[in-house]
Amino acid sequence: MEEYIVSARKYRPMSFDTVVGQQALTTTLKNAVKSGKLAHAYLFCGPRGVGKTTCARIFAKAINCLSPTADGEACGHCESCQAFNEQRSFNIFELDAASNNSVEHIKTLMEQTRIPPQVGKYKVFIIDEVHMLSTAAFNAFLKTLEEPPAHVIFILATTEKHKILPTILSRCQIYDFERMTVQNTIAHLKSVADREGITYEEEALAVIAEKADGGMRDALSIFDQAASFCQGNITYQKVIEDLNVLDAEYYFRIVDMALENKVSDIMVLLNQIVNKGFDGGLLIQGLAKHVRNVLMARDPQTLPLLEVSDQQRERYSQQAQRCPIPFLYKALQLMNRCDINYRQSSNKRLLVELTLIEMAQITQPDDADGSGRKPKRLKTLFKHLIANAQPQQGAPQVARVERQQSVAAAGSHAATTGGSVAAATGSTTAAPTAKPAAAPRLMDSLGMSWNKLREMAKPKKMVIIPDTLDASDPNAAPKDEQRSFAQQDLELQWMMMCNRMPQKLSGIATRMKNMTPHITELPHVEVEVDNQLAMDQMEQIKGSIVNTLKLYLHNNAITLTIRVVEHTGAVRVLSRREQYEQMEQENPALKKLRAMLDLELA
């Protein structure tokens, strides 16, 4: 039985022309060999599995070839090429810096550079994963790398260029290898499948190429795995089953359902996906990539950016024609937000469900009744109840509400001088007297309407009320009104007034909240302040305070007296023990309870 060799080794390129996806780089190396203008140190950097070490070996073989071809390739027949092919060449050395990263290993390498080659022109040292060298090894390597013997060429290879010291980078010619495109990977996999006699579907090879993420070695390894699973017939369904990849068909269906606002169908489809063992985060990432591809497919200029097969590209283009651009932009924002919050979420499935629900509501009209959608405007949920409500006979509450509305409306028409801190939020069309409504409807009987609710949700603006209300204003309260009020009403209106005060008076408003006004002799009100500074600040707005109290307490005879509290002396702060002893004196039962329970003070 013939020994099995994996495809990544069996079909490893042996010449520059067979290297896939690095045409510009290989052309530069061939021209250097052809012209004989060789540098003393090269640095090959790029992602994994793109051909760095392979190109280093091909380049080393071409450098030592005794009779290279006209285009800079090795002949493959001379003694040097034969020795390289049979892995017995003494002119090409490969060193794995991951396991030989100490200063001693570098010193041993430096000693080998002193011996000139016996066959060929150059001694080539290929150091793979050079970023694994220690800082001391890099420093020991610097001088030899800068001025090596004339017969020595260094080729360094790494996947992490940023970890290499700048002093090393400045001594090398740097070649950046590119990631393999999906199309190049598919083309190479086709050639390998044809040589191996394996049948395939192009969509299956496209899935393998996308899974490889730009690495040809990874693509060949996945290809071997799929070929073993499929027994020589690589199909799309078997590949996604073997690689545990979510079928792209689900993404197309989710987008189509979202365009039709089918929230329930999307939830059922999500449940099927989760039951198959796929993580919600992977679904969101895949769906975000799918929506991005649909967006790219809308414009012929960006259509080549899709790294998919030709069949998939055509399908993306068809779906892109059905998707509005605002829908795609909003969907991408939702997917990105969900991806950011997914790790921190304690209920990951709910987060995914909410994201898909919001995605399904993007194209839904504002006035549509959709299951599970977030309403974009306030719906009149009780419109039938309001329309059919029976008229109610005049109730005292109605008269009171309308009275408050009429008084509040006076503030909205008053002049702006000598203002008050009260805010008018009521209707400006209320009757000036307390005449009860003849036939109020359900919502009107509460003094509310949906328009009023919307305005109440807006930030309240301060309306300045003059010191004296204009008697000629039909909406103003009568000057001779002297309705009685209780202490509870006074404290309530005082607190509401403090809450309505503007931002520039927030300091005095906070102090006033801690004050308690008292009725000395109705309708005279007195308030005590702690210091002269607070009193001076309140004296400046005393007129506005009095007008506000007159307005909301319906008594135009209210007067306000502000006085500073006289402090007889400093209040002594009691300790915990003294507080307890005082409690025992006031309540002897507490002392008896302590004795019964045999308790001691800590």
Side-chain angles (χ1 to χ4, degrees), residues 323-384:
C323 296
I325 291 182
F327 167 80
L328 297 175
Y329 287 158
K330 182 63 176 178
L332 282 175
Q333 289 179 348
L334 294 174
M335 297 300 113
N336 183 59
R337 185 182 66 188
C338 180
D339 187 42
I340 293 174
N341 299 331
Y342 188 79
R343 291 186 178 179
Q344 289 77 21
S345 176
S346 58
N347 193 341
K348 294 180 169 41
R349 176 162 181 173
L350 179 60
L351 177 63
V352 174
E353 290 176 345
L354 290 176
T355 302
L356 295 179
I357 290 173
E358 290 186 69
M359 181 179 173
Q361 296 170 356
I362 296 175
T363 59
Q364 188 165 348
D366 292 349
D367 56 351
D369 294 328
S371 174
R373 71 182 291 269
K374 179 175 66 176
K376 296 182 180 179
R377 70 173 58 166
L378 187 61
K379 305 295 290 183
T380 56
L381 302 178
F382 307 104
K383 55 185 178 181
H384 300 295

Side-chain angles (χ1 to χ4, degrees), residues 378 380 386 405 427 441-456:
L378 187 61
T380 56
I386 295 173
Q405 293 173 358
S427 171
R441 293 189 299 174
L442 176 62
M443 298 302 293
D444 294 337
S445 65
L446 300 177
M448 297 292 178
S449 67
W450 291 115
N451 290 331
K452 293 176 186 177
L453 287 175
R454 294 190 188 97
E455 293 190 2
M456 290 177 65

Side-chain angles (χ1 to χ4, degrees), residues 4 193 196-201 204 208 222-239 241-242:
Y4 173 74
E196 294 290 332
I198 298 174
T199 58
Y200 57 85
E201 293 179 0
I208 295 175
I222 298 173
F223 175 82
D224 289 343
Q225 176 183 343
S228 178
F229 179 77
C230 299
Q231 292 294 313
N233 182 20
I234 301 178
T235 62
Y236 176 78
Q237 291 297 331
K238 290 184 178 180
V239 167
E241 180 183 355
D242 181 39

Side-chain angles (χ1 to χ4, degrees), residues 54-125:
T54 298
C55 285
R57 291 176 179 177
I58 296 173
F59 188 43
K61 178 181 177 182
I63 288 173
N64 281 316
C65 182
L66 301 179
S67 55
T69 62
D71 58 351
E73 292 276 9
C75 67
H77 304 293
C78 65
E79 175 60 26
S80 177
C81 292
Q82 290 290 338
F84 177 83
N85 294 337
E86 297 174 4
Q87 300 181 359
R88 54 181 178 84
S89 175
F90 292 99
N91 294 341
I92 300 174
F93 299 89
E94 286 194 37
L95 178 68
D96 179 22
S99 56
N100 300 278
N101 55 7
S102 64
V103 177
E104 288 74 15
H105 294 116
I106 295 299
K107 288 182 179 180
T108 303
L109 179 66
M110 298 303 100
E111 292 177 358
Q112 294 180 359
T113 60
R114 301 177 183 176
I115 305 173
Q118 298 179 358
V119 178
K121 303 177 183 178
Y122 298 97
K123 267 194 170 183
V124 183
F125 293 88

